[in-house]
Amino acid sequence: MASATENNDHLVRSDNPAHPANLIPSLCAKFWTLGWVTGTGGGCSIREDDLVYLAPSGVAKELMQPSDIYVLSLAAQAASLYRRRVYLRSPAAHKPSQCTPLFLAAFTRRGAGCCIHTHSHWAVLVTLLLEQQQQQHGGDRREFRINNIEQIKAFGRGAAKTGNLGYHDTLVIPVIENTAHEEDLTEFLEEAMDEYPDTYAVLVRRHGVYVWGDNVHKAKTQCESLDYLFQLAVEMKQLGLPWISEVEPTLPRRP
Amino acid sequence: MASATENNDHLVRSDNPAHPANLIPSLCAKFWTLGWVTGTGGGCSIREDDLVYLAPSGVAKELMQPSDIYVLSLAAQAASLYRRRVYLRSPAAHKPSQCTPLFLAAFTRRGAGCCIHTHSHWAVLVTLLLEQQQQQHGGDRREFRINNIEQIKAFGRGAAKTGNLGYHDTLVIPVIENTAHEEDLTEFLEEAMDEYPDTYAVLVRRHGVYVWGDNVHKAKTQCESLDYLFQLAVEMKQLGLPWISEVEPTLPRRP
Amino acid sequence: MASATENNDHLVRSDNPAHPANLIPSLCAKFWTLGWVTGTGGGCSIREDDLVYLAPSGVAKELMQPSDIYVLSLAAQAASLYRRRVYLRSPAAHKPSQCTPLFLAAFTRRGAGCCIHTHSHWAVLVTLLLEQQQQQHGGDRREFRINNIEQIKAFGRGAAKTGNLGYHDTLVIPVIENTAHEEDLTEFLEEAMDEYPDTYAVLVRRHGVYVWGDNVHKAKTQCESLDYLFQLAVEMKQLGLPWISEVEPTLPRRP
Amino acid sequence: MASATENNDHLVRSDNPAHPANLIPSLCAKFWTLGWVTGTGGGCSIREDDLVYLAPSGVAKELMQPSDIYVLSLAAQAASLYRRRVYLRSPAAHKPSQCTPLFLAAFTRRGAGCCIHTHSHWAVLVTLLLEQQQQQHGGDRREFRINNIEQIKAFGRGAAKTGNLGYHDTLVIPVIENTAHEEDLTEFLEEAMDEYPDTYAVLVRRHGVYVWGDNVHKAKTQCESLDYLFQLAVEMKQLGLPWISEVEPTLPRRP
């Protein structure tokens, strides 16, 4: 009991299903059924004010428990020499996830409240198709673009902007190349965040996607909508349908 | 408690799982697993006599609660100056759905008891394939047509008619163009309802589908059957199979 | 209570989850998740000795209750003038399913203990591909054939035979043309049963499949395995892989 | 009660959900939803020290109970004349699975703690595509190879090695030909294990895959990851994307 207190187990104990330590396992169980976190890949992190809640490395995401959750303090990290990560709670049996610095980038650079990382094969296929398109037609492999699909309206216009994208707007998701070690993605993710100040997601080639939002609801909505669009994009490619179209704004009525 | 009474919370409180305020959340949770209401898109509305029950805008459809439901009176609306919508109950935390006038069109123009709106990607792909077909072969992008599939028998012949379509009948679903703002779809939806008096559904290009029925059971059956046909139609296209066929009515028996 | 007795409600009341009146709803709920009984299509019937348990027409299959089940006596039917169906129990709110005579064919002609009817779109696509194949290459549209797939071993060799098919055996499923009215399929189904005395399934073009077995376990195993093979067959077609292959029985070992 | 003792029923009775006799049914139920053990195909076995827990032949995998589980002693088998399998517990109603010697190979040759066998149609399609590739282009049908996909990092480097594969490493899974009788696969599986000392999986042409790991967690993680890669590989083929690529290790930054 003493050690539990020392390890701040109270930070992950709550009867409230909306508490981050309960929410991360229930969200990850749901994501597992969607094929987003197959084989311990992917994950989800939530920030509440100063505290960041993180899933550990290498656990079956649909079986996770609140006791598996790491808790980290952003303020303590900011105050520390060399800005080392300060874990207020570490589950004994686990190692921190390699995704940790990537989740932190969304929290510190964008003020996000939640960040989701999926290995969805739709996301992977979209990055492969962009690669193929560049090789065959010289297109830009570093951006996924789609327009004139209703689901695009689920995305916010950007951090400093109000409201959501419109139906005719083009959703642009930057794509970064994968690295041998996941931590090494951090600088490229941050670079993409700087280059695309309005984006809420970054695709990682042959790997998956990082999606964030101001809170859990927005991150989840944007992640679901993006996966919907990635699936649609792959199916459109199979059917010879282009991702970008010029739809006439005012079509003639039926005569 | 007083405010709860004033806000008519009794309208959404019932132990009966078949009460609209309980049914909308349970149906939407089921629809979420089917990919119909991903990322807060789509929804479902039920009418019982004068009262219309509606899901709010922007909520995760699989997590909805009875307390999230709006209730609206059709008679009060009809009696009001300028026919403004009259909400008998509004959940404090939410905004009304942009789909509201589209659901109302099914209730007032067709006397429907339930209307379902999905963003099913099968529906979206069918509208894209019709667009492609028009560009390539000059076909009519404003109608989805399929015949000689057993599942067609799940559809009613039309509002003023008895019985269901037959196996050899052609199911025709009108397609309207999407608009930047969902409310602006209303007039086009109503126009399609007028032009196709027998239809129980309208496709919206690059967006999804609206399906209704005399009651919840019929709307759900028709919506499921339509999604089945949209999926089949996309797969048929991938395999080079035509949507319309001339099947001989009396094939010779095996010799 | 009197009317309940008169209507033989005791025939569908049991605490045993393996009782047919409980099993049909739980099986149908499972089949719904597999896309086999979408939009009230398809169904399942169980025979125990003389009694046949049947789902009604037009109900949402995943929501069915034991009280929805019809019970019919085969002996009473055989003894009746004109062999009219004799229902020992009829749920007040429903109509008998049009599939009834087709289920009965499996029970009376094959001594089956269970028959499952699905509208699986894999089954429908297989029948469409056979149609296409005949039109393009003159193949026989009246048989689905596949060999050299392990899952084939899930099928019995035939009613009068012991054991199951082997890996190298060719599974042959007859295909009958659909009719405008489901009851009218009966004579063609019976004809196919006569022509293919070893088959446990009959495909219905543009409609679905009927699968049966000596008991519920065998019918379910064969129906699942067949749907697996239909899905595989469609995907093989998409990838240019033939359904029938000549695999060398003894391949050379690795050197 | 006496017979229960004689049959060592205590070996499969535990309140601990992590006990192998409880874990095998819960894992198999999950695998059924993934399409891995359709129609009684496939299965799962767990070893704890000397004891091996096995599912029986021909049961519906999503309905299995702890009482259905066989228990076998490796030491007793090693000590027996002719090395016959020694069952400490046999469920009366069942027959041992034909997969038994294949599971045992993973336990005795690799010291695995868990082995999973799936009939996943993604696995089957991958073996068919390798066959097609050999026929069309003379490739080697005896190996599935894929590289530069993040999910590859879920696989261990090999039995005698520490750590996991890297992103740029090529995952190699040997493929053996199927045999008419599943037990006859054993020698070919063992041969492949000898030839590929680092592999944790063997594909069986037109049949499925065997995947193992040091413990249940690792076997499940590797099996899920492999199925993810098989699905991706099939979809890549449909889109004309190669399984092996030369990704530049250091791509130029955005200018």
Side-chain angles (χ1 to χ4, degrees), chain D residues 199-221:
Chain D
T199 194
Y200 287 99
V202 173
L203 277 160
V204 185
R205 184 135 19 240
R206 297 171 169 275
H207 179 154
V209 69
Y210 281 86
V211 187
W212 59 88
D214 295 345
N215 51 46
V216 171
H217 172 68
K218 287 187 179 174
K220 174 177 174 286
T221 298

Side-chain angles (χ1 to χ4, degrees), chain A residues 39 62 119 121 177 187 195, chain D residues 30 220 224 228 235 254:
Chain A
E62 84 279 19
H119 283 196
H121 63 115
E177 302 304 316
E187 61 175 310
E195 201 177 343
Chain D
K30 185 178 282 187
K220 174 177 174 286
E224 279 184 26
Y228 170 103
E235 291 165 337
R254 295 165 194 276

Side-chain angles (χ1 to χ4, degrees), chain D residues 24 44-46 52-56 68-72 87 100 103:
Chain D
I24 290 176
C44 174
S45 177
I46 296 174
V52 173
Y53 299 80
L54 290 145
D68 295 326
I69 302 291
Y70 283 87
V71 187
L72 189 148
Y87 290 97
T100 304
F103 289 142

Side-chain angles (χ1 to χ4, degrees), chain B residues 15-147:
Chain B
D15 291 335
N16 182 357
H19 185 284
N22 295 325
L23 209 47
I24 290 176
S26 69
L27 283 169
C28 282
K30 185 177 281 187
F31 297 164
W32 187 85
T33 69
L34 298 172
W36 291 1
V37 292
T38 300
T40 84
C44 175
S45 177
I46 296 174
R47 180 184 68 83
E48 277 197 352
D49 301 326
D50 175 50
L51 299 185
V52 173
Y53 300 79
L54 290 146
S57 175
V59 298
K61 292 295 187 293
E62 84 279 19
L63 302 174
M64 228 191 317
Q65 299 298 325
S67 56
D68 295 326
I69 302 292
Y70 283 86
V71 186
L72 189 147
S73 163
L74 290 177
Q77 178 173 359
S80 82
L81 203 60
Y82 307 120
R83 304 199 177 271
R84 287 188 57 236
R85 286 169 221 150
V86 178
Y87 289 99
L88 304 185
R89 181 187 189 266
S90 298
H94 296 302
K95 286 193 302 182
S97 166
Q98 288 202 324
C99 308
T100 304
L102 296 139
F103 289 141
L104 293 181
F107 299 144
T108 57
R109 299 219 162 201
R110 296 297 176 102
C114 176
C115 186
I116 302 168
H117 171 42
T118 90
H119 283 196
S120 165
H121 64 115
W122 303 118
V124 172
L125 286 170
V126 159
T127 67
L128 289 167
L129 286 170
L130 287 167
E131 207 178 296
Q132 182 188 51
Q133 200 173 292
Q134 185 194 35
Q135 285 159 8
Q136 293 179 353
H137 311 291
D140 187 350
R141 65 194 270 164
R142 294 176 309 179
E143 281 183 358
F144 169 69
R145 288 173 166 271
I146 194 163
N147 72 351

